Amino acid sequence: MTSARAYPPSQFVILVHGGAGDVPAERRALHAEGCLRAAEAGAAVLKSGGAALDAVEAAVRVLEDDPLFNAGTGACLNEDGLIELDASIMDGTGRAGAVAAMPPFKNAISIARAALEDGRHVMYAAHGAARFAMQKGFERATVEALRTDAAFQRWKELRDGRASEKGWAGGTVGAVARDLHGHVAAATSTGGMMDKAAGRVGDSPLIGAGNFADDATGACSTTGHGEAFIRTVFAARARVDSLAADLERMTARTAGRGGAIFVAPDGSAAWARNTASMSYALVSDTTAESGS
Ligand code: ASP
């Protein structure tokens, strides 16, 4: 069930994903539309000469605010019914910021960005991440403010044993971009896996696993079984011209599945998945398209 697409070089490009998984067929168009809105927000930054780093943050904020996706508003719930957020952002010069297992905040990606700008540490976890965020002026959110009815229903079904991971819809979000100045950046944000253990950290906040950017090789954001992406250090090792094969190798080695998006320094781009669905959208100086 591997599906992949490659795009030729362009002057600027942003590619976003709204999570690999198995979104019911009748809902896939909605997810693709949400991705396109996010990619357009990022493309507006790139078109006016803005930085790839600003573009990926802008795109991920749109997805975090969209209740359809498992990040920010709509984030999934852990085994205690609570929200613990993972997010990271990196630019091609090597600057990075991340938060892991962080209590509810509306836009975790902007707190990761604040860590990148602050520069003292790359990653903050749990209550230390919340303290860092509040020191930087971010307002703490309640679980109720970010918890959607759909996420709560899904959590209850899993808790009651009425659903297995089979129908799990994913919904992690990510963006990769190349700007007019030739820089790349990547951002990934998620609530993680539904009913995950308290304190579990996935691939999304881990530089090199779920997120990576290097102006020499490109930028990558991943989605799917986080443990598989961690164990294969996926995002740092993937390449634009081998993305589908990189995923297959991960699955052969770990049995985990998922999807990834990639932009190369020349503005070429690719996505690949070996799950039933992965919503995505690409906007460049020549193309705008979305799918799932
Ligand atoms: N990769 C995420 C995690 O393991 C989940 C996802 O992509 O949907 O936390």
Side-chain angles (χ1 to χ4, degrees):
M1 64 167 115
T2 302
S3 214
R5 190 168 303 169
Y7 304 83
S10 42
Q11 292 188 319
F12 72 80
V13 59
I14 182 161
L15 179 54
V16 312
H17 70 73
D22 190 4
V23 172
E26 66 280 5
R27 297 179 59 80
R28 289 187 188 169
L30 269 179
H31 285 244
E33 283 162 23
C35 285
L36 189 57
R37 276 194 296 277
E40 278 165 352
V45 174
L46 297 173
K47 198 182 284 181
S48 59
L53 186 64
D54 291 328
V56 294
E57 183 187 356
V60 166
R61 284 179 66 96
V62 170
L63 293 162
E64 286 177 336
D65 290 344
D66 188 330
L68 272 184
F69 299 98
N70 169 21
T73 307
C76 67
L77 309 175
N78 72 6
E79 62 184 357
D80 298 329
L82 299 176
I83 287 175
E84 293 188 324
L85 302 169
D86 287 347
S88 63
I89 189 163
M90 185 173 196
D91 79 4
T93 68
R95 297 189 305 155
V99 291
M102 184 176 69
F105 281 84
K106 196 162 173 281
N107 294 108
I109 200 64
S110 293
I111 301 169
R113 174 73 188 267
L116 178 154
E117 296 296 343
D118 182 75
R120 181 175 178 210
H121 300 303
V122 169
M123 179 182 276
Y124 293 83
H127 62 270
R131 184 188 297 173
F132 170 79
M134 289 186 292
Q135 281 166 355
K136 293 289 176 188
F138 293 91
E139 206 175 302
R140 184 117 175 211
T142 59
V143 176
E144 293 71 25
L146 299 190
R147 189 180 64 198
T148 58
D149 288 346
F152 188 54
Q153 284 312 322
R154 186 84 192 118
W155 178 78
K156 279 211 316 218
E157 284 169 16
L158 276 167
R159 298 292 295 178
D160 301 349
R162 277 180 287 140
S164 67
E165 204 209 21
K166 200 171 167 293
W168 170 70
T172 288
V173 307
V176 291
R178 189 251 195 207
D179 63 31
L180 288 170
H181 316 287
H183 292 298
V184 298
T188 309
S189 181
T190 188
M193 313 273 283
M194 191 61 92
D195 201 32
K196 66 186 180 181
R200 180 259 187 188
V201 173
D203 57 324
S204 309
L206 299 182
I207 299 301
N211 200 55
F212 192 68
D214 184 334
D215 283 342
T217 54
C220 182
S221 169
T222 70
T223 169
H225 292 117
E227 283 71 9
F229 288 96
I230 295 171
R231 288 161 61 198
T232 54
V233 200
F234 188 91
R237 295 166 74 191
R239 291 294 178 266
V240 73
D241 47 10
S242 61
L243 203 55
D246 295 335
L247 271 182
E248 285 313 313
R249 206 171 313 111
M250 176 186 85
T251 300
R253 197 167 151 79
T254 65
R257 292 181 176 277
I261 53 175
F262 201 105
V263 298
D266 66 355
S268 58
W271 61 258
R273 63 167 163 84
N274 61 11
T275 48
S277 69
M278 180 180 78
S279 52
Y280 71 92
L282 175 138
V283 178
S284 70
D285 45 305
T286 57
T287 310
E289 68 164 63
S290 63
S292 186

